[in-house]
Amino acid sequence: MTSHQTAPQTMKPATAAKKLGVYLEATPAEFREGVVSRAELNALHADPPAWLQELRRNGPHPRPVVAAKLGVSIAGLARAGVTEALTTEQIEALKDESPEWLQRERATQAEVRKEGARIKKRNAERAAERS
């Protein structure tokens, strides 16, 4: 049995914003109030309009993007009390200030990455032994 798509797949604006890596509240009203089809999402990825380029460049950025730009986890942002979307300028200011919480969270994130790499290596060695 084969399935035929009769209607285009659509998603809520929040889902589309997440896939685009932008803060929903900063998007234009027509984006927030409608639905986004897969084709529209692909078009936004392939040829981003000026508003999308501006949001990606200057923000405000959603928490996952803020965390990535700061080199910390989303949980680390929450522990530090950073719950709002930040602009690129605010992120750069935090990097320049390098507060104690940011240094601590970066160190924690580095340990997590190091542990992940160790586990991946161990699993690869075990898989090689079984072969």
Side-chain angles (χ1 to χ4, degrees):
M1 178 184 227
T2 60
S3 65
H4 299 283
Q5 278 189 305
T6 55
Q9 285 184 316
T10 60
M11 61 192 82
K12 295 178 182 174
T15 303
K18 189 174 186 178
K19 289 179 180 286
L20 292 169
V22 296
Y23 184 56
L24 177 64
E25 300 305 316
T27 60
E30 60 270 9
F31 181 85
R32 288 192 309 266
E33 294 166 0
V35 293
V36 180
S37 71
R38 282 256 179 235
E40 291 169 330
L41 182 68
N42 291 340
L44 287 170
H45 274 299
D47 186 23
W51 65 264
L52 183 54
Q53 292 175 12
E54 178 66 18
L55 278 178
R56 286 179 170 166
R57 190 177 320 112
N58 298 319
H61 303 287
R63 283 181 301 165
V65 174
V66 172
K69 286 180 179 271
L70 289 173
V72 299
S73 66
I74 295 172
L77 286 178
R79 282 190 292 271
V82 178
T83 58
E84 299 297 317
L86 299 178
T87 64
T88 300
E89 188 177 304
Q90 291 169 315
I91 293 168
E92 291 304 317
L94 271 174
K95 286 180 179 178
D96 292 342
E97 283 175 30
S98 192
E100 190 269 329
W101 70 263
L102 182 56
Q103 294 174 32
R104 184 177 61 246
E105 291 300 336
R106 281 181 166 172
T108 299
Q109 191 68 6
E111 286 299 316
V112 168
R113 278 193 225 97
K114 189 170 146 185
E115 180 64 7
R118 185 191 68 78
I119 290 170
K120 185 176 179 179
K121 181 181 176 193
R122 183 197 65 197
N123 289 345
E125 289 170 354
R126 286 181 180 175
E129 288 174 4
R130 284 188 233 126
S131 298

